[in-house]
Amino acid sequence: MSSGSHTFMLGFSLVILFVNAASLDYGTALTKSLLYFEAQRSGKLPTNQRVQWRGDSALKDGKEEGIDLTGGYYDAGDNVKFGFPMAFTVTMLSWSVIEYEHQLNSKNELKNALNAIKWGTDYFIKAHKEPHVLYGEIGDGNSDHQCWQRPEDMTTPRTAYKIDEQHPGADLAGETAAALAAAAIAFNGLDSGYSKELLTHGKELFDFAKKFPGNYQTSISVAGQFYSSTGYEDELLWAAVWLLKATQDKTYLDYIKDKSTNSGGTRSMFSWDDKYVGAQVLVAKNLLEKKFAGDESTLLSEYKKNAEEFICNCIQKGNNNVKKSNGGLLRWQPWNNLQYVTAASFVITSYADTLSATKNSMQCTSGKVEPLQLITFVKSQVDYIVGENPQKMSYMIGFGTNYPKKIHHRGASIVSIKKDSTPVSCHEGFGLWFNKNAPNPNVLDGAIVGGPDLNDKYNDTRNNFQQAEPATANTAPLVGVLARLAS
């Protein structure tokens, strides 16, 4: 129902309008989105932990290697710490703070957003003990997937896998450099010492990535089956753009200019694996803000062209439009589709705000597009995610009353260790909890599941991991979008 100025409506109709508006409370969704990251924490939990059903876990990570690798995040519904998507998660949380600090602050969520970032960056600092060494995974997906246990009970091997000069991984090092550079900007005005420390690590990792190219799964083969990277050029570019933003150092600008003829072309998606759109949008925003001089802006215009073509395709006004479901949701693929929707929604929102601030519009194949049209489109996607869809179901857990109750997530699906401390053994968890036809005992507030299929259908069962498994990369981009819509 549109919220026009129908003040002449009868009292009954007005009530309906207000109920409808209340059901899409972006502020509540924002609060829940940040709670989710607390539920995904690994390591020793702080005393002010708000998610009460979680306890300490994986306190010996790195011990066999003689290094403290506790902390960081579990990526999804399992108990593995995958560095590659974790770094993307932290980059997107940091970008949300950089772009929407004021809005987060006005909703009293800035501190929680910074805490979410710091939980990741503290871990990256530990994982980057030497300039050319970075630990990129703790635990192994194959052994982990043989068990169904709370992270607090974990009995699976916690092998630590790293990249170094002999076993490079420019994509992993590049994405972690981007995360640290973006976080350095987010913390700059609040904790300059920490910001400097993050930047030092970010610069070192970028140099490491440039000097030792290659895809990280060739060095950390156990990651290949779960988070295989399609290339490292995008991560290097993305890191260079963030480092330029953090330092204003011409070296990074030279790198970006050098890559302008190979800036990724028009991408089909933006995700934990493909960062080109993010880099293109950041360069395009700088062009709109006239941050580059004469020749540079001509040279860098290719980035803007590609960024805008991606956005045009998302909003259905391009040459190669992204598919949509009948209910109106952008559709990339059957497996965890919502991660692509949230990532695209963030870059479109961010770009719309820069267009608006610089009094610009955008040209698509089918005509001129104003910033407000972009925000309206993003709102349609977010509204779909949180309940305005054919199923009338919120795909954000804990938002509203109708949301998936049997999500594919070990910690959420097993009784809290605080309620029953009896250890759940590796295989026992399947019989006792995984196969149990009952709602999860713990509500994973703010988690965004993979989402519905092309026909807007969703099957709420724990073994439906394509649709029912949430991941940190799904929720992270939505934090900034929700902050923007809430204010």
Side-chain angles (χ1 to χ4, degrees), residues 15 20 53 136 146 152 217 256 262 281 288 362 376 382 444 466:
V15 169
N20 197 28
W53 51 267
Q146 303 304 311
E152 295 86 355
Q217 67 265 15
I256 297 160
N262 181 23
V281 164
L288 288 170
M362 207 175 87
T376 304
V382 175
L444 191 66
Q466 279 201 354

Side-chain angles (χ1 to χ4, degrees), residues 80 169 185 237 284 375:
V80 185
I185 303 168
L237 181 62
I375 295 296

Side-chain angles (χ1 to χ4, degrees), residues 340-456:
Y340 306 105
V341 181
T342 61
S345 295
F346 182 90
V347 292
I348 298 170
T349 305
S350 167
Y351 200 61
D353 286 341
T354 303
L355 285 171
S356 181
T358 58
K359 300 190 167 36
N360 278 293
S361 57
M362 207 175 87
Q363 194 64 39
C364 288
T365 310
S366 62
K368 198 161 89 159
V369 177
E370 296 296 339
L372 185 61
Q373 288 171 266
L374 296 178
I375 295 296
T376 304
F377 177 81
V378 167
K379 195 174 172 303
S380 75
Q381 297 302 296
V382 175
D383 290 356
Y384 184 110
I385 292 170
V386 297
E388 298 245 318
N389 55 59
Q391 299 290 328
K392 297 285 174 254
M393 176 181 267
S394 166
Y395 296 108
M396 174 184 273
I397 307 306
F399 187 83
T401 52
N402 186 28
Y403 51 83
K405 303 293 198 292
K406 299 175 201 161
I407 60 168
H408 183 93
H409 188 279
R410 286 160 178 74
S413 71
I414 301 173
V415 67
S416 167
I417 197 158
K418 310 256 183 89
K419 281 196 174 163
D420 183 352
S421 59
T422 314
V424 176
S425 69
C426 170
H427 297 299
E428 194 182 24
F430 286 104
L432 286 176
W433 298 103
F434 180 77
N435 297 320
K436 193 176 186 178
N437 188 17
N440 289 348
N442 310 306
V443 178
L444 191 66
D445 276 319
I448 290 174
V449 292
D453 65 17
L454 185 56
N455 302 312
D456 302 292

